[in-house]
Amino acid sequence: MTEQLTEQTATAAASGNSATERFLEKGVAADSSTERVDKLATEVIGAVHEVIRRNKVTYEEYDALKAWLIQVGLDGEWPLFLDVWIEHVVEEVANEDREGTQGSIEGPYYVPGSPEFQAEATLPMRDDEPGTPLLFQGQVTSTSGQPLGGAHVEMWHADDYGYYSQYAPGLPEWNLRGTVVTDEQGRFKIHTIQPAPYQIPHDGACGKLISAAGWHAWRPAHLHLKVSAPDHQLITSQLYFQGGDYVDNDIAQAVKPNLILNPTPAADGTGNEVTYNFVLDPA
Ligand code: MBD
Ligand code: FE
């Protein structure tokens, strides 16, 4: 008897290993001058020493940490761990000088190259895709107020059960992922479904930390976006829903007041609609 693979049989290790593979493909370049590496590595290691001294960390705790760190790698959960607990501060520093739309973290489940559409589109989804329909529309302009036609609005989000295509079995490849190119006025309309609150995979090493520390594994319902246009800085963002569960208590600490949507019932009676405009800083 073979077990049927559906998104709801997804395991932390399987989605973790996809995220690890994807990240390794990305290719990474950073300033790796001796001075910079020396400074950052010395400070990080020094910060750990400080925690050990202050809390009188025991050998048992040190060995438990070692075992846990090894397990994070075996479960492929380094992308998850880093994006949940570290990335929001990197994003804060990277975007502190922007004048345009605020950003938020990318997270571990972005896939480049999603299907492209012109101006108004429905994200790829199953015929019986569960969830409340959502029309997400708006305009992309530059900080000088100029409409940006031909801008790319890339959206990806989890389905109504909290699973991302390409990171859970049984979902169509590009389910709930797409790139909409703005019209001459910089406008776009994206038809999708409203995502549900999302629990990060918790049957692996990250879940072990969460339960050992008495935390919860939830992120508020969110839409992921990347918006870009020639001669402008790409913004990676996430949008949330007013009054939604965990908006004030996101495990990834990636919510900002300006990123909270308040959808209203759609004019045509099918689900909800909301307008959100993006302002891009010059490159
Ligand atoms: C997600 O969907 C996500 O957006 C982040 C930041 C971490 C884990 C899962
Ligand atoms: Fe997400």
Side-chain angles (χ1 to χ4, degrees):
M1 202 173 81
T2 53
E3 193 193 351
Q4 206 195 337
L5 287 181
T6 70
E7 56 183 311
Q8 286 168 78
T9 62
T11 60
S15 69
N17 288 328
S18 314
T20 299
E21 270 168 45
R22 176 85 55 198
F23 186 77
L24 291 176
E25 279 165 18
K26 185 168 158 181
V28 179
D31 167 13
S32 55
S33 67
T34 309
E35 292 72 21
R36 184 75 174 159
V37 175
D38 175 32
K39 180 174 171 54
L40 297 183
T42 301
E43 287 194 24
V44 168
I45 293 166
V48 174
H49 297 162
E50 222 277 305
V51 170
I52 295 167
R53 289 202 180 95
R54 188 152 30 90
N55 296 282
K56 303 209 181 297
V57 170
T58 66
Y59 255 103
E60 289 72 24
E61 288 169 331
Y62 174 66
D63 286 342
L65 171 67
K66 235 174 171 176
W68 181 79
L69 289 170
I70 291 165
Q71 196 62 44
V72 174
L74 293 174
D75 290 345
E77 286 201 334
W78 280 116
L80 181 67
F81 173 79
L82 289 164
D83 295 348
V84 167
W85 283 289
I86 308 293
E87 189 188 354
H88 70 101
V89 186
V90 180
E91 190 279 327
E92 171 191 314
V93 170
N95 290 333
E96 66 190 354
D97 294 332
R98 282 201 198 233
E99 287 173 7
T101 301
Q102 273 194 319
S104 188
I105 63 177
E106 177 176 309
Y109 302 139
Y110 171 62
V111 184
S114 63
E116 206 172 291
F117 307 95
Q118 293 299 318
E120 176 163 7
T122 301
L123 291 190
M125 64 175 75
R126 294 162 288 184
D127 291 338
D128 55 352
E129 191 68 48
T132 305
L134 176 70
L135 168 58
F136 178 80
Q137 59 189 346
Q139 188 183 27
V140 183
T141 61
S142 70
T143 45
S144 63
Q146 181 202 347
L148 295 173
H152 283 202
V153 181
E154 279 183 83
M155 180 183 275
W156 73 102
H157 63 84
D159 69 8
D160 202 47
Y161 301 113
Y163 292 97
Y164 284 85
S165 57
Q166 303 190 37
Y167 295 92
L171 287 168
E173 187 177 18
W174 294 104
N175 211 55
L176 303 175
R177 297 175 183 272
T179 301
V180 176
V181 182
T182 60
D183 68 14
E184 312 84 75
Q185 281 95 49
R187 295 189 189 281
F188 63 86
K189 286 188 181 194
I190 304 176
H191 300 268
T192 186
I193 55 109
Q194 215 162 302
Y198 173 85
Q199 248 192 122
I200 71 162
H202 52 281
D203 61 318
C206 288
K208 224 170 164 182
L209 169 63
I210 289 167
S211 60
W215 301 337
H216 70 72
W218 291 93
R219 300 212 59 221
H222 57 279
L223 302 167
H224 288 273
L225 292 131
K226 280 182 186 280
V227 181
S228 59
D231 304 320
H232 290 76
Q233 295 178 46
L234 178 152
I235 188 80
T236 300
S237 191
Q238 289 188 38
L239 297 170
Y240 308 91
F241 298 91
Q242 196 167 75
D245 291 340
Y246 303 101
V247 168
D248 299 319
N249 194 11
D250 176 13
I251 189 176
Q253 297 178 62
V255 179
K256 303 176 188 182
N258 290 344
L259 304 180
I260 300 175
L261 302 171
N262 189 10
T264 54
D268 65 3
T270 57
N272 295 322
E273 64 183 20
V274 69
T275 299
Y276 188 87
N277 299 320
F278 293 93
V279 180
L280 299 187
D281 286 71

